[in-house]
Amino acid sequence: MILDLYNYWVVIFLMMSGFYTLIASNHLIKKIVGLNIFQSSVFMLYISMGKVAGGTAPIAAEGIDTYSNPLPHVLILTAIVVGIATTSLALALVIRIKESYDTVQENEILELDRISDEETQA
Amino acid sequence: MSAINLLIDIVLLTMLVFTTIAIVRSRSLFAIVMLSGIYSLLSANIFVVLDAVDVAFTEAAVGAGISTVLMLATIGITGYEQKKRRSISRITPLIVVFITGAVLVYGTLDMPAFTNPSNPVHEHVAPRFIEQSPTEVGIPNMVTSVLASYRGYDTMGEVIVVFAALIGVLSLLGIREKKTDPVYTEPPPRPILQVMAKFMIPFIILFALYVQFHGDFGPGGGFQAGVIFSVAIILYTLTFSQQDAMDLVPPWVLKRLAALGVLIYGGTGVVSLLKGGNFLDYNVLAHDPIHGQHYGILIIEFGVGLTVACVMILIFFAFISRGDKNP
Amino acid sequence: MINEHLPALQVVVPLLAAPICFLILNNRLSWLFASLVSWLCFAMAILLVMEVKDGAVLHYEFGGWAPPWGIEYSVDVLNAYVLLIVSGIAAVVFPYSWTSIQKEIPESHHRIYFTAMMLCLAGLLGMTITGDAFNLFVLLEISSLSSYTLISLGRDRRALTASFQYLIMGTIGATFILIGVGLLYALTGTLNMADLASKIPALEGSRTLQAAFAFLVVGFGLKLAMFPLHLWLPNAYAFAPSAVSAFIGSTATKVAIYALLRFLYTVFGADFSFNFMQVQWLLMPLAVASILFASMVAMFQDGIKRLLAYSSVAQIGYMLLGISLVNITGLTGTLLHLFNHALMKGGLFLTLGAIAYRVGDTRVKSIAGLGQAMPFTMGAFVVGALSLIGVPLTVGFISKWYLILATLEKGYWPLTVLIIISSLMAVVYTWRIIETAYFQERPANAPEVKEAPLSLLIPAWTLIAANLYFGINSRLSTDLATGAAKMLFGGSLL
């Protein structure tokens, strides 16, 4: 029973570490790394579901009758692509933020934004 | 799962846990980025153990490859070290994470057991993919069948997501041509690297073509091929110069080809529509449905490969053309 | 023949129009093409509404593969109604864009702007129409990635941080949705919504199902800016280019609310969502908090766009309130407010775009004296503001009326009072603007300001006029909303 769920629980631990890095980190790039970890562990959750005991990779071949489930693989292929798309857009934003604010630390950016907000109010 | 696989699985997962802890605790961004590459590579290994070879391939090419390259290019601009900041409360994020994790653990308690073949996941939709796709679609790699035919529309969406990322990166960064820059100087030649790269690039491209066209039979397909192809150009850019690479594959051509790839995919759907089928129904493309499926998958995979290769190269160009400005 | 492919074309046409927009090298042609496609989408949405308004359901199988193996689009009165809202707003905003972006976005980025708008439109339409839970995630990401791009086009550098924040929150939301869909898939082996709906009742009590429910509600909650997950919204709307604020502000959160409704009612079923999970007791306090808190904050804003953004958070609160009442009148109110809020916020943001075009910014103090200088623009703003408050003869009144009826039906009179109080708060925050525009003199040193050009006024007034038209003759919207609400409850009253 415990061994059955071991995979899921480790994956959940990884997922939550990524999630924590994503929301608690102050550095924008580290946030993106956290996001990547968060997402790739979700991918592992999906792929774990697709595994069949005694199965092989879902490529039809002579003499094999048990295959793992191909559908989660397809979904995750799509999700990986979505992930890299998001990552590259996020990194491009970080470069622009660095150029405009000269920092990539979230607290400093928020501080600069707060000052701009106050100037607008004045 | 056999005992040895289980053991490998557990060892890899444990390594992942250590990598993750190192990432959470590390301050050096360079280390964090490299560790995240290692994380991707390890997870690719786990995907192999879990029989997801196509996914492993993609994760290795994208997570450990492209995404690490882009991150390195970014920290080249933003700097390598994190500033120490005055301690702020980490309580809120911790609470959020604990609640989320608790809900997930609670959810897994009733989760169908790992690898059990009678799980609902393996009962309802998947059997048809496994049993009938080799005859209905006519190719042995079931992942390719599902990806390109049964759920071909999702894959078209995926190509458009890649295209959307290109639009975003072009909008944010643009691609600067170095030629027009008066202070631009050619980088010094690096003969050993350049000769080695020249030797390797043809093989990389050959491998990309193999992955592109062999995707029906083995792991691979348009997406992986596109990424590998872009790696050849990235290698060329790194060993020669950005300007050399841009002379070889001009960005304006790549931009058009990227859009064209999407249109090739969508166009296949439109053709099947005009031939009396539903959107992306390849059966109507030829007299024999199996041939139709073959043509359809071949064409759309080409569209995928084209768009992905062009987008990855363009995104890479966009990142490094920013970087050179402030060395 | 075309008719039978209409559900697919509704999304495929804008999806493929996006790369074409990018390939057309002339900015003006790209704009004309994009506008044409947006009208085509609106026409297709109208045709779809005509087909399903009497309760018919259209199905479309992509690739000719029957669901649950293939991906299916299914159109019923609910999503046809949302398609109508999204494509209708697009059909006004796309033509408006040309003049508006001349001053807000550098010329080199105009094509990128139209391409991204087209992608965003296609993604939102696709999310609305799809009958497949995973396909919804893919289309959600198409619309999200393009909205991050669009928001980052704003002139102020804060647009970049707003976009980054939205990207992080939006991706967390999308990943939560992915987890939720994955858990559902683990339980049922299917991704098709109708198929899921038929399998879920047998699973009641499963802890995995409850976890899936929680992740999906929070995931969509992030995308629809449910309090307190709304933090990305105000800056995103405030610093995006005007036309983008108008488009995203009146469509993106609506589609997320639609998706939430689709999961609550169709996939999980009203019985599981409201009797077993009791989600209304989560939604109701959050709705109340967002109405009060956001209206309060709106009163103290000096940037009009940010003021309207906070007001949007409050309006989302109304929509959630309608859902949390769990009766047909309340749900009708929610659905009507989807439509009506799109009209009023769309109209108001377009009007602000016209002000930004002439004045350069949209702070409250910058519009002093504009009542005389830009009578048509400010006139449009006044009508839009009245609608936002909920004055009779405007659409705002119709949806608030339904919500009030629904609270009375349930006997929750404190909520009735809340709706009235928050309407008074709306009077306060819009009055500040109107007072400044009409009763303050333009500063002596301020440059001369002319009335906005017709290419901005006509689209803005189109939406504002719709506020009045559907406020007086609300048959179309109420019929559709009532029909959709009844369909969601499936005749079986709770």
Short mmCIF file of all heavy atoms in Angstrom, two decimals, chain C residues 92-127:
data_model
loop_
_atom_site.label_atom_id
_atom_site.label_comp_id
_atom_site.label_asym_id
_atom_site.label_seq_id
_atom_site.Cartn_x
_atom_site.Cartn_y
_atom_site.Cartn_z
N VAL C 92 -16.20 44.79 -31.98
CA VAL C 92 -16.13 46.24 -31.76
C VAL C 92 -14.69 46.69 -31.50
O VAL C 92 -14.24 47.71 -32.00
CB VAL C 92 -17.05 46.65 -30.58
CG1 VAL C 92 -16.93 48.12 -30.30
CG2 VAL C 92 -18.48 46.27 -30.87
N VAL C 93 -13.96 45.89 -30.71
CA VAL C 93 -12.62 46.33 -30.29
C VAL C 93 -11.62 46.27 -31.45
O VAL C 93 -10.76 47.13 -31.57
CB VAL C 93 -12.13 45.52 -29.08
CG1 VAL C 93 -10.71 45.90 -28.73
CG2 VAL C 93 -13.04 45.74 -27.89
N PHE C 94 -11.73 45.26 -32.31
CA PHE C 94 -10.75 45.15 -33.39
C PHE C 94 -10.75 46.39 -34.30
O PHE C 94 -9.69 46.98 -34.53
CB PHE C 94 -10.97 43.86 -34.21
CG PHE C 94 -10.31 42.65 -33.61
CD1 PHE C 94 -10.74 42.13 -32.40
CD2 PHE C 94 -9.24 42.03 -34.24
CE1 PHE C 94 -10.13 41.02 -31.84
CE2 PHE C 94 -8.62 40.91 -33.69
CZ PHE C 94 -9.07 40.41 -32.48
N PRO C 95 -11.93 46.80 -34.81
CA PRO C 95 -11.90 48.01 -35.64
C PRO C 95 -11.40 49.23 -34.86
O PRO C 95 -10.70 50.08 -35.40
CB PRO C 95 -13.37 48.19 -36.05
CG PRO C 95 -13.98 46.86 -35.89
CD PRO C 95 -13.26 46.20 -34.78
N TYR C 96 -11.77 49.32 -33.59
CA TYR C 96 -11.38 50.45 -32.73
C TYR C 96 -9.87 50.53 -32.60
O TYR C 96 -9.29 51.61 -32.50
CB TYR C 96 -12.05 50.22 -31.39
CG TYR C 96 -11.66 51.15 -30.25
CD1 TYR C 96 -12.44 52.27 -29.96
CD2 TYR C 96 -10.57 50.88 -29.45
CE1 TYR C 96 -12.11 53.09 -28.91
CE2 TYR C 96 -10.23 51.70 -28.39
CZ TYR C 96 -11.01 52.81 -28.13
OH TYR C 96 -10.69 53.62 -27.07
N SER C 97 -9.22 49.33 -32.58
CA SER C 97 -7.80 49.26 -32.27
C SER C 97 -6.94 50.19 -33.12
O SER C 97 -6.01 50.80 -32.61
CB SER C 97 -7.29 47.84 -32.48
OG SER C 97 -7.88 46.98 -31.57
N TRP C 98 -7.24 50.28 -34.40
CA TRP C 98 -6.32 50.96 -35.31
C TRP C 98 -5.93 52.34 -34.80
O TRP C 98 -4.76 52.65 -34.61
CB TRP C 98 -6.92 51.04 -36.72
CG TRP C 98 -6.04 51.80 -37.65
CD1 TRP C 98 -6.21 53.07 -38.09
CD2 TRP C 98 -4.81 51.33 -38.22
NE1 TRP C 98 -5.18 53.43 -38.91
CE2 TRP C 98 -4.29 52.39 -39.00
CE3 TRP C 98 -4.09 50.15 -38.15
CZ2 TRP C 98 -3.11 52.29 -39.71
CZ3 TRP C 98 -2.90 50.04 -38.84
CH2 TRP C 98 -2.41 51.10 -39.62
N THR C 99 -6.95 53.19 -34.58
CA THR C 99 -6.66 54.56 -34.15
C THR C 99 -6.05 54.55 -32.76
O THR C 99 -5.10 55.26 -32.47
CB THR C 99 -7.95 55.39 -34.14
OG1 THR C 99 -8.64 55.14 -35.34
CG2 THR C 99 -7.65 56.86 -34.00
N SER C 100 -6.60 53.70 -31.91
CA SER C 100 -6.18 53.71 -30.51
C SER C 100 -4.71 53.34 -30.35
O SER C 100 -4.00 53.97 -29.56
CB SER C 100 -7.07 52.76 -29.72
OG SER C 100 -6.65 52.68 -28.40
N ILE C 101 -4.24 52.35 -31.11
CA ILE C 101 -2.86 51.93 -30.87
C ILE C 101 -1.86 52.86 -31.54
O ILE C 101 -0.67 52.79 -31.25
CB ILE C 101 -2.60 50.47 -31.32
CG1 ILE C 101 -2.79 50.30 -32.81
CG2 ILE C 101 -3.44 49.50 -30.54
CD1 ILE C 101 -2.40 48.91 -33.30
N GLN C 102 -2.32 53.75 -32.43
CA GLN C 102 -1.35 54.65 -33.08
C GLN C 102 -0.55 55.41 -32.05
O GLN C 102 0.63 55.67 -32.23
CB GLN C 102 -2.07 55.65 -33.99
CG GLN C 102 -2.80 55.05 -35.18
CD GLN C 102 -1.89 54.21 -36.07
OE1 GLN C 102 -0.72 54.53 -36.26
NE2 GLN C 102 -2.42 53.12 -36.59
N LYS C 103 -1.22 55.81 -30.96
CA LYS C 103 -0.51 56.61 -29.96
C LYS C 103 0.00 55.77 -28.80
O LYS C 103 0.75 56.28 -27.97
CB LYS C 103 -1.45 57.70 -29.43
CG LYS C 103 -1.70 58.78 -30.44
CD LYS C 103 -2.15 60.05 -29.79
CE LYS C 103 -2.32 61.13 -30.85
NZ LYS C 103 -2.98 62.32 -30.32
N GLU C 104 -0.44 54.52 -28.69
CA GLU C 104 -0.07 53.76 -27.50
C GLU C 104 0.97 52.68 -27.76
O GLU C 104 1.61 52.22 -26.83
CB GLU C 104 -1.33 53.13 -26.89
CG GLU C 104 -2.33 54.17 -26.43
CD GLU C 104 -3.44 53.58 -25.59
OE1 GLU C 104 -3.22 52.55 -24.95
OE2 GLU C 104 -4.53 54.17 -25.60
N ILE C 105 1.09 52.22 -29.01
CA ILE C 105 1.99 51.11 -29.29
C ILE C 105 2.88 51.53 -30.47
O ILE C 105 2.37 52.06 -31.46
CB ILE C 105 1.20 49.84 -29.66
CG1 ILE C 105 0.34 49.40 -28.47
CG2 ILE C 105 2.12 48.70 -30.07
CD1 ILE C 105 -0.57 48.25 -28.77
N PRO C 106 4.21 51.32 -30.37
CA PRO C 106 5.07 51.71 -31.49
C PRO C 106 4.69 50.96 -32.76
O PRO C 106 4.21 49.82 -32.72
CB PRO C 106 6.47 51.31 -31.00
CG PRO C 106 6.26 50.40 -29.85
CD PRO C 106 4.95 50.76 -29.24
N GLU C 107 4.92 51.62 -33.89
CA GLU C 107 4.43 51.08 -35.15
C GLU C 107 5.00 49.70 -35.46
O GLU C 107 4.34 48.86 -36.06
CB GLU C 107 4.77 52.06 -36.26
CG GLU C 107 3.79 51.98 -37.40
CD GLU C 107 4.14 52.96 -38.49
OE1 GLU C 107 4.37 54.13 -38.17
OE2 GLU C 107 4.20 52.53 -39.66
N SER C 108 6.24 49.46 -35.01
CA SER C 108 6.87 48.17 -35.30
C SER C 108 6.10 47.02 -34.66
O SER C 108 6.29 45.87 -35.03
CB SER C 108 8.30 48.19 -34.78
OG SER C 108 8.27 48.49 -33.39
N HIS C 109 5.27 47.32 -33.68
CA HIS C 109 4.59 46.25 -32.95
C HIS C 109 3.12 46.09 -33.36
O HIS C 109 2.41 45.30 -32.75
CB HIS C 109 4.67 46.50 -31.45
CG HIS C 109 6.01 46.16 -30.88
ND1 HIS C 109 7.17 46.71 -31.34
CD2 HIS C 109 6.38 45.29 -29.90
CE1 HIS C 109 8.19 46.23 -30.66
NE2 HIS C 109 7.75 45.35 -29.80
N HIS C 110 2.68 46.84 -34.36
CA HIS C 110 1.25 46.77 -34.67
C HIS C 110 0.81 45.40 -35.16
O HIS C 110 -0.23 44.90 -34.78
CB HIS C 110 0.89 47.84 -35.72
CG HIS C 110 0.85 49.20 -35.13
ND1 HIS C 110 0.46 50.31 -35.82
CD2 HIS C 110 1.16 49.63 -33.89
CE1 HIS C 110 0.53 51.37 -35.04
NE2 HIS C 110 0.96 50.99 -33.86
N ARG C 111 1.65 44.79 -36.01
CA ARG C 111 1.27 43.47 -36.52
C ARG C 111 1.24 42.45 -35.39
O ARG C 111 0.38 41.59 -35.32
CB ARG C 111 2.28 43.01 -37.57
CG ARG C 111 1.80 43.22 -38.97
CD ARG C 111 2.76 42.61 -39.94
NE ARG C 111 4.15 42.79 -39.55
CZ ARG C 111 5.08 41.85 -39.66
NH1 ARG C 111 4.75 40.66 -40.12
NH2 ARG C 111 6.32 42.09 -39.32
N ILE C 112 2.24 42.56 -34.51
CA ILE C 112 2.28 41.66 -33.36
C ILE C 112 1.03 41.83 -32.53
O ILE C 112 0.43 40.86 -32.06
CB ILE C 112 3.56 41.93 -32.55
CG1 ILE C 112 4.74 41.33 -33.29
CG2 ILE C 112 3.44 41.40 -31.14
CD1 ILE C 112 6.07 41.56 -32.64
N TYR C 113 0.61 43.08 -32.38
CA TYR C 113 -0.60 43.35 -31.61
C TYR C 113 -1.80 42.63 -32.22
O TYR C 113 -2.53 41.92 -31.53
CB TYR C 113 -0.85 44.86 -31.56
CG TYR C 113 -2.22 45.24 -31.06
CD1 TYR C 113 -2.47 45.33 -29.70
CD2 TYR C 113 -3.26 45.47 -31.95
CE1 TYR C 113 -3.73 45.65 -29.25
CE2 TYR C 113 -4.52 45.79 -31.50
CZ TYR C 113 -4.76 45.89 -30.15
OH TYR C 113 -6.01 46.18 -29.70
N PHE C 114 -1.99 42.77 -33.55
CA PHE C 114 -3.17 42.13 -34.14
C PHE C 114 -3.07 40.61 -34.07
O PHE C 114 -4.07 39.92 -33.84
CB PHE C 114 -3.35 42.59 -35.60
CG PHE C 114 -3.74 44.03 -35.69
CD1 PHE C 114 -2.94 44.95 -36.33
CD2 PHE C 114 -4.91 44.46 -35.10
CE1 PHE C 114 -3.29 46.28 -36.38
CE2 PHE C 114 -5.28 45.79 -35.15
CZ PHE C 114 -4.46 46.71 -35.79
N THR C 115 -1.85 40.08 -34.27
CA THR C 115 -1.70 38.63 -34.18
C THR C 115 -2.04 38.14 -32.79
O THR C 115 -2.78 37.17 -32.62
CB THR C 115 -0.24 38.25 -34.52
OG1 THR C 115 0.15 38.94 -35.69
CG2 THR C 115 -0.10 36.77 -34.73
N ALA C 116 -1.53 38.85 -31.77
CA ALA C 116 -1.79 38.41 -30.40
C ALA C 116 -3.26 38.55 -30.05
O ALA C 116 -3.84 37.69 -29.38
CB ALA C 116 -0.93 39.22 -29.42
N MET C 117 -3.91 39.63 -30.53
CA MET C 117 -5.34 39.80 -30.26
C MET C 117 -6.12 38.64 -30.88
O MET C 117 -7.05 38.11 -30.29
CB MET C 117 -5.86 41.11 -30.86
CG MET C 117 -5.51 42.34 -30.07
SD MET C 117 -6.46 42.50 -28.55
CE MET C 117 -7.89 43.39 -29.13
N MET C 118 -5.71 38.27 -32.10
CA MET C 118 -6.41 37.20 -32.80
C MET C 118 -6.24 35.88 -32.04
O MET C 118 -7.19 35.12 -31.88
CB MET C 118 -5.82 37.11 -34.21
CG MET C 118 -6.64 36.35 -35.19
SD MET C 118 -8.32 36.91 -35.27
CE MET C 118 -8.23 38.14 -36.50
N LEU C 119 -5.02 35.63 -31.55
CA LEU C 119 -4.78 34.40 -30.79
C LEU C 119 -5.62 34.41 -29.51
O LEU C 119 -6.19 33.39 -29.12
CB LEU C 119 -3.30 34.29 -30.42
CG LEU C 119 -2.35 33.93 -31.56
CD1 LEU C 119 -0.90 34.08 -31.10
CD2 LEU C 119 -2.59 32.50 -32.02
N CYS C 120 -5.66 35.56 -28.88
CA CYS C 120 -6.41 35.66 -27.63
C CYS C 120 -7.89 35.38 -27.89
O CYS C 120 -8.52 34.61 -27.17
CB CYS C 120 -6.21 37.06 -27.06
SG CYS C 120 -6.85 37.24 -25.42
N LEU C 121 -8.42 36.00 -28.95
CA LEU C 121 -9.82 35.77 -29.31
C LEU C 121 -10.07 34.28 -29.57
O LEU C 121 -11.01 33.69 -29.05
CB LEU C 121 -10.17 36.60 -30.55
CG LEU C 121 -11.51 36.31 -31.21
CD1 LEU C 121 -12.64 36.65 -30.26
CD2 LEU C 121 -11.66 37.08 -32.51
N ALA C 122 -9.18 33.67 -30.37
CA ALA C 122 -9.37 32.26 -30.72
C ALA C 122 -9.32 31.40 -29.46
O ALA C 122 -10.14 30.49 -29.29
CB ALA C 122 -8.30 31.82 -31.71
N GLY C 123 -8.36 31.68 -28.56
CA GLY C 123 -8.26 30.90 -27.34
C GLY C 123 -9.50 31.01 -26.50
O GLY C 123 -10.02 30.01 -25.98
N LEU C 124 -10.02 32.23 -26.35
CA LEU C 124 -11.21 32.42 -25.52
C LEU C 124 -12.41 31.73 -26.13
O LEU C 124 -13.19 31.06 -25.43
CB LEU C 124 -11.49 33.91 -25.34
CG LEU C 124 -10.47 34.67 -24.50
CD1 LEU C 124 -10.76 36.16 -24.53
CD2 LEU C 124 -10.48 34.18 -23.06
N LEU C 125 -12.57 31.86 -27.46
CA LEU C 125 -13.70 31.19 -28.11
C LEU C 125 -13.57 29.67 -27.95
O LEU C 125 -14.55 28.98 -27.67
CB LEU C 125 -13.74 31.55 -29.60
CG LEU C 125 -14.10 32.99 -29.95
CD1 LEU C 125 -13.95 33.23 -31.44
CD2 LEU C 125 -15.52 33.30 -29.52
N GLY C 126 -12.33 29.18 -28.10
CA GLY C 126 -12.12 27.74 -28.00
C GLY C 126 -12.42 27.21 -26.60
O GLY C 126 -13.03 26.16 -26.44
N MET C 127 -11.97 27.96 -25.57
CA MET C 127 -12.26 27.55 -24.20
C MET C 127 -13.76 27.43 -23.97
O MET C 127 -14.24 26.61 -23.21
CB MET C 127 -11.76 28.60 -23.22
CG MET C 127 -10.35 28.48 -22.79
SD MET C 127 -9.98 29.89 -21.73
CE MET C 127 -10.74 29.37 -20.19
#
